[in-house]
Amino acid sequence: MNFRSIKIDKLPTIRRLPAYLNILRDLFVKGEQYVSSSYLAEKMFVEPILVRKDLELTRVAGTPRVGYSIEELITSIEEFLGCSDNLDAVLVGVGQFGASLLGNRGLRNFGLRVLAAFDEDSHKARTLAHRVPFFEIDRLEELLQRLHVTIAILCVPSEDAQKITDILVASGIRGIWNFTSENLAVPEHVVTQKEDLASGLAVLCAKLVRNRPTHH
Amino acid sequence: MNFRSIKIDKLPTIRRLPAYLNILRDLFVKGEQYVSSSYLAEKMFVEPILVRKDLELTRVAGTPRVGYSIEELITSIEEFLGCSDNLDAVLVGVGQFGASLLGNRGLRNFGLRVLAAFDEDSHKARTLAHRVPFFEIDRLEELLQRLHVTIAILCVPSEDAQKITDILVASGIRGIWNFTSENLAVPEHVVTQKEDLASGLAVLCAKLVRNRPTHH
DNA sequence: TTTTTATAGATAAAATTTTATCAAATAACT
DNA sequence: AGTTATTTGATAAAATTTTATCTATAAAAA
C-alpha cells in the first residue's frame, strides 16, 4: 500500500448485510420468528453456505433444524454495521439526485438521518418536501461546527468536489459519501466512500454480452 | 450454483473500468497522449500493479518507459465493456430518483441513452427538462415492442417491482438495471443488476468504525 | 424411545483477486 | 555508442472470498 486506503476485510459480506436486513425486517413484520440460510439464499440468489458464512460475521448462532432467530439477527447485524443510530449526516449539493436521497426509504430504514442540506439558494424548494432544513453553502463550515455530524453526503458538481471536501474536512467531518466522479484527497482521519453508478452499468453490460442466447 | 446467476469473472476489474475511462477522457481532452499505470493508480488510490492487471483485460499493450496510449486505451475499454453504443434504455418509474438519472453526466458519458420514460401521469413534468418522451405506464408493453430497447432502468416502488418486471420480460427486455430493493425473478435469457445504496453506506460505516483515532 | 431428517457449523478445498518480484524493453542521458 | 533509469509484462506468491464436505445437533416422525 503506497497510497493510503483503509483495509476492510469481509467487504463483500458487509455489502450484502443490508440486503439481509431488508429481508429479515420483512419477515419480522410478518410475524416470523426463525429463518433458514437456504431461505435467505433463495431470496438473495446466492448459495446457502455463503449466507451462513456471512451471518457468522455477526456472531449469531443458529440452531440446527430451526434456523436463525430473526430478531436476534436483525439487532446483531445492525450492531455489527454500527448503523442503527449515530448516522447523522448533512447533504451537500441539492441537485435532483442529491434531493432524491432525502426521500430514499432504504437509507432511512438504515438509520441515515439528514439534519441539514446545503446548496446555492436556488434549490431550497427541493428540501422542503422532505422537511430538511436548507442553508446556503457559505454557512457550511459555521453550521457543521455546531451540528455534530459525522457524515457528509457529497452530491455537488465534480468541479467543486475537492473544494467542498476541504471545507468538510476542516469542519471536522469524519466520513464523506462521495457521489461525484472525483477521487477525493482527504487526510488520514477522514474516510471516503465513492459511489459510481457507471460501474453498475458496466456490470450490467458485461452480464448482457455473456448472456447472449447464441452462446450455447 | 443451485440458483441461477451468470458468473462474471474479473468483476472487480469491470467495476473499475468506468473510473479509468473518466480519468483517461479527462487526459485526452487536455491533449495528453500517454499515461502510466502509476499515474492512474495515484488518481484511483490503488496500486500501480493493480492498474496494469486491470488494463491487461482490455488487451492493450503499453510500452516500457512511456506508458499506455490514452486514445487506444479509451477505445479499448469502451469496446471491452460493449457500452460505446447500443446502450438504449427506457426508464420505468419517474420518481425524483429515477428522474435524476436522466440528467446524470457519468451515465451519458458512458453511452446510456434513455429513449422513453414511463410512469403514472403525475410525473410527466420531470422528464420534460431532460427532453425524454414520457408515457403512461399502461403503454409500456406496446411501446417496447416498437422501440428495440435492450435495457430497462427500474425505479418504481418496490411493491410494483416484480409486476413491472414481468411486463418488461414479456416485452423482450434483455437487461434490467434494478434500483428497487426487490430481488427480481427473471427467466434465463434476461439479466439483472441490482443497485443498493445502503450497501455503500454500510461500507462507509465499516470504514468509520475501523478508522477511529483511538485505534492506535 | 428410536430413527429419520433438516439445518447449522467446523474444516478443508477451490476459485478469485490482489500484491510482489524480477526480467525485458525503451527512452533519455552521458 | 554505451549506460542508466523508468516502465511494462510475465510469473509467482499471498490474501481473500466462495464453495464443498462432513459432523453434530435438534426437531419431528415412527
Side-chain angles (χ1 to χ4, degrees):
Chain A
M1 286 279 167
N2 49 3
F3 303 114
R4 188 190 69 85
S5 64
I6 305 122
K7 198 69 194 171
I8 302 287
D9 70 4
K10 314 274 160 91
L11 198 134
T13 296
I14 289 171
R15 283 195 164 285
R16 282 186 293 267
L17 287 179
Y20 291 123
L21 210 44
N22 264 333
I23 298 170
L24 292 167
R25 283 173 175 159
D26 261 14
L27 291 172
F28 186 74
V29 299
K30 279 179 191 156
E32 299 291 328
Q33 304 223 22
Y34 292 93
V35 67
S36 69
S37 59
S38 52
Y39 177 87
L40 290 171
E42 191 175 359
K43 284 283 181 188
M44 300 264 295
F45 294 95
V46 299
E47 300 298 312
I49 178 64
L50 183 59
V51 173
R52 291 203 292 278
K53 283 288 175 203
D54 283 344
L55 300 186
E56 205 175 284
L57 194 61
T58 73
R59 323 294 243 100
V60 170
T63 59
R65 185 74 205 239
V66 173
Y68 299 87
S69 152
I70 290 172
E71 194 168 359
E72 206 182 334
L73 265 185
I74 290 175
T75 51
S76 196
I77 292 177
E78 287 176 348
E79 197 171 290
F80 178 85
L81 289 175
C83 294
S84 34
D85 36 32
N86 242 333
L87 229 60
D88 291 348
V90 294
L91 172 67
V92 189
V94 192
Q96 199 168 28
F97 178 80
S100 76
L101 296 180
L102 297 176
N104 188 298
R105 252 193 279 171
L107 298 181
R108 205 169 34 241
N109 285 343
F110 206 68
L112 184 72
R113 282 194 310 175
V114 180
L115 301 187
F118 297 84
D119 202 333
E120 281 122 33
D121 209 343
S122 57
H123 294 141
K124 194 172 220 157
R126 285 188 176 142
T127 70
L128 276 175
H130 305 288
R131 295 158 194 254
V132 173
F134 176 96
F135 302 98
E136 287 193 49
I137 205 150
D138 320 8
R139 303 190 59 197
L140 184 55
E141 193 156 8
E142 167 209 344
L143 285 165
L144 276 179
Q145 317 277 4
R146 289 203 243 150
L147 279 172
H148 280 294
V149 164
T150 47
I151 294 173
I153 308 172
L154 192 64
C155 299
V156 299
S158 301
E159 306 84 82
D160 306 332
Q162 187 62 56
K163 188 183 66 190
I164 300 289
T165 296
D166 295 342
I167 297 174
L168 291 169
V169 167
S171 311
I173 277 288
R174 299 279 325 284
I176 298 175
W177 200 11
N178 176 18
F179 286 94
T180 78
S181 60
E182 283 303 296
N183 291 91
L184 304 173
V186 292
E188 275 208 22
H189 66 281
V190 177
V191 297
T192 67
Q193 169 64 18
K194 190 182 174 211
E195 301 298 335
D196 179 7
L197 281 178
S199 86
L201 187 52
V203 175
L204 181 64
C205 289
K207 286 177 179 170
L208 273 169
V209 302
R210 284 160 185 75
N211 198 50
R212 290 261 140 79
T214 48
H215 267 196
H216 64 276
Chain B
M1 287 281 163
N2 49 2
F3 302 114
R4 188 189 69 84
S5 65
I6 306 120
K7 198 69 195 173
I8 301 286
D9 71 4
K10 314 272 159 93
L11 198 134
T13 296
I14 290 171
R15 283 195 165 284
R16 283 187 293 266
L17 288 178
Y20 291 123
L21 210 44
N22 264 333
I23 299 170
L24 291 166
R25 282 172 175 160
D26 262 15
L27 292 170
F28 186 75
V29 301
K30 279 178 190 154
E32 299 290 328
Q33 303 223 20
Y34 291 94
V35 68
S36 69
S37 59
S38 52
Y39 177 86
L40 290 172
E42 191 175 359
K43 284 283 182 188
M44 299 265 294
F45 295 94
V46 299
E47 301 298 312
I49 178 65
L50 183 59
V51 173
R52 292 203 291 278
K53 283 288 174 202
D54 283 344
L55 299 186
E56 206 175 285
L57 195 62
T58 72
R59 323 294 245 103
V60 170
T63 59
R65 186 75 204 239
V66 174
Y68 299 86
S69 153
I70 290 172
E71 193 168 0
E72 206 182 335
L73 264 186
I74 291 175
T75 51
S76 196
I77 293 176
E78 287 177 347
E79 197 171 289
F80 177 85
L81 291 175
C83 294
S84 35
D85 35 33
N86 242 334
L87 227 59
D88 291 348
V90 293
L91 172 67
V92 190
V94 192
Q96 199 168 29
F97 178 81
S100 77
L101 296 180
L102 297 175
N104 188 299
R105 254 194 276 170
L107 298 181
R108 205 167 36 240
N109 286 343
F110 206 70
L112 183 72
R113 283 194 311 175
V114 180
L115 301 187
F118 296 86
D119 201 326
E120 282 121 32
D121 208 344
S122 56
H123 294 141
K124 192 174 220 154
R126 287 189 175 140
T127 69
L128 277 174
H130 304 288
R131 295 158 194 256
V132 173
F134 176 96
F135 302 97
E136 287 194 49
I137 206 151
D138 320 7
R139 302 189 59 197
L140 184 56
E141 192 156 9
E142 167 209 344
L143 284 164
L144 276 179
Q145 317 277 5
R146 288 202 243 149
L147 278 173
H148 280 293
V149 165
T150 47
I151 294 171
I153 307 172
L154 192 64
C155 300
V156 299
S158 302
E159 306 84 81
D160 307 332
Q162 187 63 57
K163 188 183 67 190
I164 301 289
T165 295
D166 295 341
I167 297 174
L168 291 168
V169 167
S171 312
I173 277 288
R174 298 279 327 286
I176 298 175
W177 200 10
N178 176 17
F179 286 93
T180 78
S181 60
E182 283 303 295
N183 292 90
L184 305 172
V186 293
E188 276 208 20
H189 66 279
V190 176
V191 297
T192 67
Q193 169 63 18
K194 190 181 174 212
E195 302 298 336
D196 178 7
L197 281 179
S199 88
L201 186 53
V203 176
L204 181 63
C205 289
K207 287 178 179 170
L208 273 169
V209 301
R210 284 161 185 73
N211 198 50
R212 289 261 142 78
T214 49
H215 266 196
H216 65 274

